[in-house]
Amino acid sequence: MNTISGPVQENNYEKTIHELNREIVRLAFALNLDLSNHAYLHEFLTADIDRTHDHFHKRETLKGLIVLRGQICMQVGDAGMEPLPGPIHESIYKLLQVHQSIG
């Protein structure tokens, strides 16, 4: 029997999104990436990351987390719910077409 109630699930969802947002901000800060610079962010998300770059793993992780956050944001919006705030404005995910940049 499932004993997890709706409010607990919502709280876990909010906690998970908060942690995801925090990690995106932390990695962006470490890499000196301005999340409000739409042109650079679009380039960052669509370009291949040089495997020889000193911060390859941080850059690859950040890219994956941004794409994941964008997918969650769009799925929540498609379900008719209001997405939780994030470090990147929700409209930017549509502008950047994150769903197409994953593959």
Side-chain angles (χ1 to χ4, degrees), residues 34-100:
D34 180 1
L35 295 175
S36 65
N37 183 333
H38 303 175
Y40 183 74
L41 189 56
H42 183 265
E43 181 182 326
F44 176 78
L45 290 172
T46 57
D48 289 333
I49 297 174
D50 180 5
R51 291 190 165 281
T52 62
H53 191 281
D54 289 344
H55 299 291
F56 167 75
H57 293 290
K58 286 180 184 172
R59 294 172 65 86
E60 191 69 16
T61 300
L62 178 58
K63 184 175 180 177
L65 292 178
I66 291 172
V67 170
L68 174 64
R69 182 67 174 93
Q71 289 175 330
I72 291 170
C73 178
M74 289 188 294
Q75 288 177 356
V76 167
D78 290 347
M81 298 168 33
E82 188 68 29
L84 293 173
I88 301 172
H89 193 272
E90 289 80 16
S91 64
I92 296 171
Y93 293 121
K94 291 178 184 175
L95 174 70
L96 298 176
Q97 299 178 348
V98 172
H99 60 285
Q100 293 178 6

